Amino acid sequence: MSGQDHAITASDGRRLCVRTFGDATAPALLLLHGTPGSRLVSPRITDPVIAAGLQLITLDRPGYGQSDPDYPRSLRAFADDIQIVTSALDVDSYVIAGVSGGGPHALAAAANDGCHACIILGGFAPVPKTGALPDGPNKLAYRIMRLSPLLFRIFNAVATSGAIKALSDDAKTEKLIAAMLAKTPPEDRDLISEPDAKAGLIDNLREAFKQGGKAVGEESLMLGGDWRHELPEIQVPIHWWHGKNDANVAYDDAKRFASTLAMINWHALDDGHSAWMHHWNEIVATITTALRR
């Protein structure tokens, strides 16, 4: 099912680009993309949500896709954006979910009016300002962030410019995706290599970088620190699904942080960073149950 785009104006005049799927009067799942990402999602995500009788809402975070930038980034400001979006769409009953870098954003908005539950799918954990850095592909980026935000912005500009150039050419895009998959566990590689999943990933990334690479850099600077102080007191159930072989966000780091959250329900999965996609029907069932309470 194709979605409908909406341009919603934030409190400071910024444009927020939102896409809706399904019955506009139904309870909603508000799904937040990863870092980087966009509002574009594949039918393997939308179809089970619509079949469950829910509305699906996705959006481009500031600086991605067609949403205006908002720098420096703030989780609290994003939570306010979500309140504006749900109000504009007349959504008074919803569950908010965040994939990877969308996880902290979902937690930040979980105390908003109308939110019944918070779903985290391979979400980020805060990175302390001192001490050991989390293992994984982001470790070098975290180290540079600690040295100098300016130096990291230069690092990000170089890295994203190469990705953007590759995404503009189909043959180079195939090589870029192959290089990304080579660094992932076999279960993630097999899943994302499926034709519909790969096509969805490419569309998502091309849309994410429409305004350049600054959004991913500014968001990474925010998520690469200790953002626990920006989280509200969450009084709704939190369900966190995380793969034991996650190469992006270490399982132990995520579980340690999750244990500090009230009303946490931890769901260990055997696969990698994309493990939740193998369990999407089960997750949608959990969301449907939360919305009935």
Side-chain angles (χ1 to χ4, degrees), residues 17-18 30-33 38-39 57-61 78 82:
C17 189
V18 178
L30 210 163
L31 180 63
L32 308 179
H33 61 73
S38 73
R39 71 193 184 286
I57 301 172
T58 60
L59 75 157
D60 298 330
R61 288 200 292 278
F78 180 78
I82 292 297

Side-chain angles (χ1 to χ4, degrees), residues 100-173:
S100 190
H105 293 82
L107 289 170
N112 284 1
D113 293 342
C115 184
H116 288 242
C118 182
I119 307 295
I120 308 297
L121 307 170
F124 276 30
V127 179
K129 293 181 179 180
T130 59
L133 290 166
D135 288 325
N138 299 315
K139 191 168 186 176
L140 173 60
Y142 293 146
R143 183 173 290 118
I144 296 172
M145 287 178 202
R146 280 189 179 178
L147 288 173
S148 164
L150 175 59
L151 187 60
F152 174 77
R153 288 186 172 99
I154 296 171
F155 168 82
N156 175 75
V158 173
T160 56
S161 64
I164 292 167
K165 288 179 182 177
L167 288 166
S168 66
D169 177 272
D170 288 344
K172 291 180 180 179
T173 297

Side-chain angles (χ1 to χ4, degrees), residues 49-129:
V49 179
I50 304 307
L54 306 179
Q55 176 185 185
L56 176 65
I57 301 172
T58 60
L59 75 157
D60 298 330
R61 288 200 292 278
Y64 292 114
Q66 297 181 38
S67 286
D68 290 338
D70 182 26
Y71 308 139
R73 288 292 314 279
S74 160
L75 289 176
R76 288 176 180 168
F78 180 78
D80 291 340
D81 286 352
I82 292 297
Q83 195 73 56
I84 290 167
V85 167
T86 54
S87 177
L89 296 176
D90 292 324
V91 173
D92 56 14
S93 183
Y94 66 94
V95 165
I96 192 162
V99 178
S100 190
H105 293 82
L107 289 170
N112 284 1
D113 293 342
C115 184
H116 288 242
C118 182
I119 307 295
I120 308 297
L121 307 170
F124 276 30
V127 179
K129 293 181 179 180

Side-chain angles (χ1 to χ4, degrees), residues 157-198:
V158 173
T160 56
S161 64
I164 292 167
K165 288 179 182 177
L167 288 166
S168 66
D169 177 272
D170 288 344
K172 291 180 180 179
T173 297
E174 286 292 329
K175 292 181 180 179
L176 174 67
I177 299 301
M180 290 171 56
L181 293 179
K183 301 175 183 178
T184 63
E187 53 269 19
D188 281 357
R189 190 158 57 245
D190 292 345
L191 175 64
I192 299 171
S193 295
E194 295 175 14
D196 63 330
K198 184 192 287 187

